[in-house]
Amino acid sequence: MATATPSRTAADLAERCARSAAVTEAGSWLRTAEVPGWMAERHASHRFAVRRIPFAALTGWSFAPGTGNLRHDSGRFFTVEGLQVSVGTRPFPHWQQPIIKQPEVGILGILAKEFDGVLHFLMQAKMEPGNRNLLQLSPTVQATRSNYTKVHRGAEVRYLDHFLRPAPGSVVADVLQSEHGSWFLRKSNRNMIVETRDEVPVADDFCWLTLGQIGRLLRRDNVVNMDARSVLACVPTGDARRSGAPYGDTDLLSWFTAERSRHTVGAERIPLDAVAGWRRGPDTIERPDGRYFRVVAVAVEAGSREVTGWSQPLIEPCGLGVTAFLTRRVRGVPQVLVHARVEGGFLDTVELGPTVQCVPGNHAALPPGDRPPFLDTVLTAGPGRIRYAAVHSEEGGRFLHAESRYLLVEAADDMPKELPPGYRWVTPGMLGALVRHGHYLNVQARSLLSLLTTGAAGLQD
């Protein structure tokens, strides 16, 4: 039985997390500079390989007669189906696309423990087939229900009991959060941080790091994976950071509710074979114009995973994304510009996303009025206005080489005072309050917020 952790106030948790974020170079385990070498050693200790294969070579997967939906023979894991979306606004009022339907809720959990008076977080060097460099730092537990109920007949998921049966008073954060609404249909995962006082045996592919160490690693390209960033966005930071907001929480929630209400989004599942504007070949499902993304198949070898070999479909985007918050300071108080964003796969009509979230190449041929607002502002920002820049991968378990350049960019002095519909300046503390609740911040906004909770980037002078 796990040892209960005494109840703690929100202020106490925030203060302890702030102390952890301040420890950047050396925790009680590895020095930050040693982590890349440790990860390289973990990579070398296992056999990893990912190769593209034709759909006909997939094991246990097939296109269903009558619909063409790509499904697993077990009826579990996920399916690739069609989606018909209608939003009624320019530049794309309606469209059809393939989409991943994975109704089960997974667990993304990070275990925390105090060493030498400082909170550390148990991170895993985890292989995912879609990561360009395969191995990245992930949560302690990153598992779908199919994983941890052993549909695949694999090994046990380490440390799972801390999250399935958390000890009384041990939960730091626990919230259902959305996945990519452009590629998943109404997919949610349980994002958790659980603190323990138990002795925790550390397996070979795991290490304890402070928040500050993780923040330093977030300054590097493709080291900390998307699931870890999503969970780290939920780190308590205290209500003090909400001071100086341009308006109160009630006003922000009222504006967000109005944004959800003013959009009418129709999202209807259709057979994959019926998706207009896409074609299926032996190796890919894609658009003839090469835009947006394609569906491909891979065979995987992964010596460190619960199952050491398998094959599966993946979504492969066509181009490097740009994901950015514009930032400013008003009377010394940092603010970021959020966008109430419509995506066809969201559970509700909109979630708060970054100022800019797109693959620029998909919009290159559009007239200026139809290009995403502020895209050109971000793309043309000089080095002096860029507060943070790094390339990070998206979900490596379902997407192949899906990467975005994550940016925090200071708004120029000539930024228009009147914002387009759906945009709003908020403080990071207000986002920290909203992220405690599900389906308010999309996964890209949570990734950007994790830069602030870990100290990877700062918005103060």
Side-chain angles (χ1 to χ4, degrees):
M1 175 67 70
T3 305
T5 300
S7 334
R8 302 143 300 179
T9 66
D12 173 60
L13 275 173
E15 194 274 333
R16 294 170 68 219
C17 289
R19 285 205 309 268
S20 182
V23 178
T24 59
E25 302 304 324
S28 296
W29 293 73
L30 292 173
R31 295 186 61 82
T32 309
E34 296 171 340
V35 175
W38 173 77
M39 293 183 69
E41 185 271 327
R42 298 319 308 155
H43 192 291
S45 67
H46 300 289
R47 164 71 176 165
F48 295 128
V50 178
R51 58 186 175 85
R52 295 170 186 261
I53 58 174
F55 292 125
L58 283 166
T59 301
W61 294 84
S62 59
F63 291 100
T67 65
N69 292 345
L70 187 51
R71 64 183 185 182
H72 193 264
D73 295 347
S74 68
R76 302 290 295 274
F77 300 110
F78 62 93
T79 56
V80 182
E81 305 182 0
L83 188 71
Q84 179 171 279
V85 183
S86 174
V87 297
T89 56
R90 289 177 58 86
F92 306 112
H94 50 80
W95 70 89
Q96 296 181 358
Q97 65 168 91
I99 200 160
I100 294 174
K101 182 176 182 291
Q102 185 175 346
E104 62 184 27
V105 174
I107 291 178
L108 308 178
I110 296 180
L111 193 63
K113 182 176 171 63
E114 203 169 90
F115 296 96
D116 302 320
V118 177
L119 274 178
H120 288 60
F121 298 81
L122 188 60
M123 306 300 290
Q124 177 183 180
K126 187 178 181 71
M127 181 274 190
E128 292 179 286
N131 291 341
R132 194 174 295 278
N133 58 348
L134 294 182
L135 201 72
Q136 296 187 15
L137 285 178
S138 80
T140 318
V141 167
Q142 178 182 315
T144 66
R145 182 176 292 275
S146 292
N147 289 148
Y148 65 76
T149 57
K150 303 177 72 172
V151 171
H152 51 34
R153 297 183 296 277
E156 297 286 347
V157 176
R158 294 181 186 273
Y159 310 111
L160 180 64
D161 276 357
H162 289 281
F163 304 95
L164 288 182
R165 288 171 283 277
S170 67
V171 175
V172 175
D174 189 357
V175 59
L176 284 180
Q177 300 285 15
S178 63
E179 293 282 304
H180 292 75
S182 295
W183 298 330
F184 277 118
L185 181 61
R186 302 185 185 118
K187 174 76 171 70
S188 298
N189 275 324
R190 190 177 177 188
N191 286 226
M192 302 181 70
I193 302 173
V194 173
E195 184 179 359
T196 184
R197 293 190 171 182
D198 293 341
E199 290 299 317
V200 179
V202 179
D204 287 341
D205 293 320
F206 294 78
C207 68
W208 292 101
L209 298 172
T210 69
L211 273 183
Q213 290 183 286
I214 298 168
R216 285 292 187 267
L217 294 166
L218 275 165
R219 297 179 180 181
R220 297 170 174 253
D221 293 349
N222 283 325
V223 172
V224 181
N225 82 352
M226 184 215 77
D227 296 300
R229 300 193 306 270
S230 178
V231 177
L232 292 166
C234 303
V235 167
T237 56
D239 291 341
R241 297 179 68 195
R242 295 158 68 187
S243 62
Y247 33 77
D249 289 352
T250 301
D251 287 339
L252 176 60
L253 290 172
S254 177
W255 169 79
F256 182 60
T257 301
E259 285 297 314
R260 278 189 164 169
S261 301
R262 78 178 177 90
H263 290 279
T264 301
V265 179
E268 177 186 354
R269 292 162 59 193
I270 60 175
L272 186 58
D273 277 350
V275 174
W278 295 71
R279 63 187 180 192
R280 187 175 101 197
D283 305 301
T284 63
I285 301 169
E286 61 187 344
R287 289 171 54 101
D289 61 10
R291 296 167 72 193
Y292 303 114
F293 64 89
R294 60 183 70 92
V295 181
V296 299
V298 297
V300 183
E301 294 177 57
S304 62
R305 294 287 298 260
E306 293 85 7
V307 172
T308 56
W310 71 93
S311 61
Q312 68 170 95
L314 291 171
I315 280 181
E316 181 183 32
C318 301
L320 178 70
V322 172
T323 302
F325 271 146
L326 283 179
T327 75
R328 70 177 186 182
R329 286 176 299 282
V330 177
R331 294 183 294 277
V333 177
Q335 298 175 3
V336 298
L337 186 60
V338 296
H339 177 206
R341 177 182 172 86
V342 174
E343 295 183 21
F346 281 157
L347 184 64
D348 212 332
T349 54
V350 302
E351 294 189 14
L352 294 182
T355 318
V356 172
Q357 176 191 319
C358 70
V359 174
N362 290 334
H363 304 273
L366 295 178
D370 285 340
R371 286 167 63 79
F374 308 109
L375 174 59
D376 294 328
T377 302
V378 167
L379 294 180
T380 60
R385 288 176 43 216
I386 297 176
R387 305 294 296 262
Y388 173 92
V391 173
H392 294 303
S393 67
E394 305 301 332
E395 216 276 21
R398 298 291 178 264
F399 312 140
L400 180 64
H401 299 167
E403 296 173 304
S404 288
R405 188 169 184 242
Y406 278 81
L407 296 155
L408 296 172
V409 179
E410 277 203 38
D413 293 338
D414 59 356
M415 180 86 174
K417 292 185 178 180
E418 185 171 341
L419 298 173
Y423 289 81
R424 187 93 162 190
W425 289 105
V426 302
T427 65
M430 296 177 98
L431 293 185
L434 290 177
V435 81
R436 299 172 197 163
H437 309 280
H439 303 284
Y440 278 82
L441 271 64
N442 76 357
V443 68
Q444 289 88 349
R446 298 197 304 274
S447 277
L448 287 168
L449 183 59
S450 75
L451 307 177
L452 306 180
T453 61
T454 61
L459 301 181
Q460 301 287 352
D461 287 327

